[in-house]
Amino acid sequence: RRDSAADFFSHYEYLCALQNSVPLPAVRACLREGVLDFNADRLRGVDWAPLLSTLKINKDLPLVSIKSFFQPWLGDTGL
């Protein structure tokens, strides 16, 4: 399982380099036991492209968990 995490991260690093961005330390920190588990609230819009492209290319991870703890304000409908 650790090999799949290392393979995933190497793909992610490569795509970040192609897009002139820096790999997020949070992504590496969340790759434990071959599982990607992170809080989406901490990612900026530009951070998603290499991450989603890597997930599209590399399908070695047995589990991907993306969480959000965002709670809209009272009365905010999101529209």
Side-chain angles (χ1 to χ4, degrees):
R1 288 187 184 198
R2 290 182 191 266
D3 289 339
S4 63
D7 190 43
F8 176 87
F9 195 76
S10 66
H11 276 64
Y12 174 64
E13 282 182 316
Y14 174 71
L15 291 178
C16 283
L18 286 178
Q19 297 179 22
N20 292 323
S21 62
V22 177
L24 296 172
V27 172
R28 173 174 271 178
C30 293
L31 277 172
R32 291 186 212 105
E33 300 295 322
V35 172
L36 180 62
D37 182 13
F38 66 94
N39 181 348
D41 299 335
R42 298 178 187 246
L43 273 67
R44 299 173 299 158
V46 297
D47 296 331
W48 282 100
L51 184 59
L52 293 176
S53 294
T54 303
L55 286 169
K56 181 179 174 184
I57 293 168
N58 184 304
K59 299 182 180 0
D60 293 332
L61 297 177
L63 178 66
V64 176
S65 175
I66 302 172
K67 299 174 185 137
S68 174
F69 298 101
F70 175 76
Q71 294 182 359
W73 298 332
L74 292 175
D76 184 11
T77 62
L79 299 177

